[in-house]
Amino acid sequence: MKGIEAFHKLAPLLKNEPTVLANGYISREFFNVTDRKENFYMIGSMGLASSIGLGVALAQMGAPARPFVDALGTAFQAVMRIIG
């Protein structure tokens, strides 16, 4: 499945949750599918979607899950931030 196809499936599932989107192509592609005021486009913050998403989740403990979308390469780079 291509990213754009995944975003077309993901977008209708999002209600009013803040959604953190990785820098670059992911942000542009998701913007073209659905631009919402709840989207946070991380321009200039390569590799930090997981860190920012974790911070949003921790700041809103007890709230429903907060989605974030990161690229595969940056997700691998961020593994230690996620589990550490």
Side-chain angles (χ1 to χ4, degrees):
M1 176 182 296
K2 295 183 178 184
I4 193 83
E5 296 165 339
F7 293 152
H8 278 288
K9 290 182 183 283
L10 173 64
L13 302 176
L14 300 173
K15 305 295 185 249
N16 60 351
E17 304 91 347
T19 303
V20 178
L21 297 138
N23 184 28
Y25 193 73
I26 287 175
S27 286
R28 293 189 300 274
E29 206 169 46
F30 201 83
F31 175 87
N32 287 323
V33 171
T34 181
D35 182 31
R36 310 171 313 128
K37 65 180 177 156
E38 295 87 3
N39 292 353
F40 178 69
Y41 303 102
M42 299 182 359
I43 306 306
S45 302
M46 186 173 150
L48 295 175
S50 58
S51 297
I52 294 171
L54 178 60
V56 170
L58 290 174
Q60 300 176 346
M61 293 295 278
R66 301 298 182 203
F68 72 92
V69 181
D70 212 341
L72 183 59
T74 54
F76 283 136
Q77 293 172 353
V79 168
M80 291 310 294
R81 288 191 300 266
I82 294 170
I83 63 172

